[in-house]
């Protein structure tokens, strides 16, 4: 059984910070590309950030310079540090694990809500 469990979402004021966590089980975590997606009401799900097994990172232009993705293979956990949050960042954030070769191995978490409001 593969499980991805996000945590760390909540309510934050504009300009504030939040750190999301995603704990994985049932996979060889260090072999997977880990990604964060988000989906706001009425909008398409979009890729926010990704980190490869070799710790190469990629970010959506909208979050570049504000968000940082990292991973701790010893804890089977990927993080998303979000700074300078604005109302456009409000969404449900989803954790995703994708095997870079066996692409049928593709798993999702349940999502965690991020609300940005004053």
């Amino acid at each position: 059984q593969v499980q991805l469990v996000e945590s760390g979402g909540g309510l934050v004021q504009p300009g504030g910070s939040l750190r999301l966590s995603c704990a994985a089980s049932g996979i060889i975590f260090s072999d997977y590309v880990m990604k964060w997606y988000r989906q706001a009401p009425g909008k398409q799900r979009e890729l926010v950030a990704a980190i490869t097994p070799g710790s190469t990172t990629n970010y959506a232009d909208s979050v570049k310079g504000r968000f940082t993705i990292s991973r701790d293979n010893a804890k089977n956990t990927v993080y998303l540090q979000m700074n300078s949050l604005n109302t456009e960042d409000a969404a449900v954030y989803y954790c995703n694990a994708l095997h870079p070769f066996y692409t049928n191995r593709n798993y999702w978490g349940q999502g965690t809500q991020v609300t940005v409001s004053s």
Side-chain angles (χ1 to χ4, degrees):
Q1 176 79 287
V2 176
Q3 193 170 24
L4 304 178
V5 180
E6 299 101 332
S7 61
L11 174 65
V12 64
Q13 294 184 355
S17 297
L18 216 53
R19 188 169 88 149
L20 306 183
S21 299
C22 172
S25 59
I27 62 172
I28 303 176
F29 180 83
S30 59
D31 289 347
Y32 280 72
V33 177
M34 301 301 299
K35 302 178 180 179
W36 287 98
Y37 289 79
R38 68 186 181 189
Q39 187 167 28
K43 293 191 174 184
Q44 297 288 316
R45 186 172 299 188
E46 65 173 341
L47 177 64
V48 176
I51 184 166
T52 70
S55 292
T56 299
T57 58
N58 288 283
Y59 299 93
D61 288 341
S62 59
V63 308
K64 208 166 292 182
R66 299 188 297 122
F67 290 11
T68 303
I69 188 170
S70 61
R71 67 194 297 158
D72 186 340
N73 289 341
K75 295 184 176 181
N76 284 6
T77 300
V78 63
Y79 305 95
L80 186 67
Q81 178 66 48
M82 304 185 294
N83 299 325
S84 301
L85 286 161
N86 57 61
T87 56
E88 294 183 2
D89 297 316
V92 177
Y93 283 71
Y94 296 92
C95 179
N96 170 258
L98 173 66
H99 196 285
F101 301 107
Y102 305 110
T103 55
N104 58 310
R105 299 182 181 182
N106 187 3
Y107 308 103
W108 293 87
Q110 82 291 342
T112 186
Q113 176 72 54
V114 172
T115 302
V116 184
S117 177
S118 58

